[in-house]
Amino acid sequence: MGRRRKRSSRVSPQAPSHLSDAAPFDAYLVAPATYNTINAFRHGIANGLITTTLAAACLGRMERGKTKILIAPTMHGSMHNAILTESLQFLASMGVEIIAPREDYGKHNLPETRPLVASVCRAVSTSRLKGERSS
């Protein structure tokens, strides 16, 4: 019988790229942002991949003006209640940009690609014309 080679189980001391400040992102887009994700993020609950990334990598950088966070709420219209409204208002007051959903069939659907891309481009733009609309 051959000898088994023992595998190395070393963990890299380097943080994963999405959590590292070595090559940070200019913006984070959460689309679709579910009812659970929005409320968890608002209350600082990092219990999944998205909320952990937001808490670990994004929030502190956003507070220091080094990144933008955008969310696109997507859920059934009946879930848009006082709790969600309060969470969205709180996040907006912190600097999170809320991208309006596309209303269809009583649901708050994910916006089309073009408005999502435009929102991210506006968020990271350094142009003096940022926020200006052409006529």
Side-chain angles (χ1 to χ4, degrees), residues 3-116:
R3 290 177 33 175
R4 283 186 155 178
R5 294 181 84 189
K6 188 174 182 178
R7 291 187 182 194
S8 173
S9 61
R10 280 196 247 163
V11 176
S12 171
Q14 190 176 28
S17 61
H18 64 286
L19 300 178
S20 170
D21 271 346
F25 296 107
D26 293 331
Y28 289 82
L29 171 64
V30 181
T34 65
Y35 185 89
N36 187 61
T37 298
I38 293 166
N39 288 302
F41 182 38
R42 184 259 191 263
H43 289 285
I45 299 169
N47 60 351
L49 177 64
I50 295 169
T51 53
T52 299
T53 300
L54 289 170
C58 308
L59 193 54
R61 292 185 50 73
M62 183 189 73
E63 289 172 339
R64 294 188 309 272
K66 295 187 176 204
T67 196
K68 306 288 185 190
I69 301 174
L70 301 92
I71 62 173
T74 308
M75 66 208 65
H76 194 277
S78 65
M79 295 181 80
H80 196 119
N81 56 33
I83 294 170
L84 180 70
T85 299
E86 181 182 300
S87 292
L88 291 171
Q89 289 171 344
F90 180 83
L91 292 171
S93 75
M94 291 179 61
V96 174
E97 183 176 330
I98 313 300
I99 302 169
R102 180 176 48 87
E103 301 288 332
D104 241 347
Y105 306 106
K107 295 182 181 177
H108 294 204
N109 294 294
L110 190 63
E112 297 293 334
T113 303
R114 179 173 244 132
L116 288 174

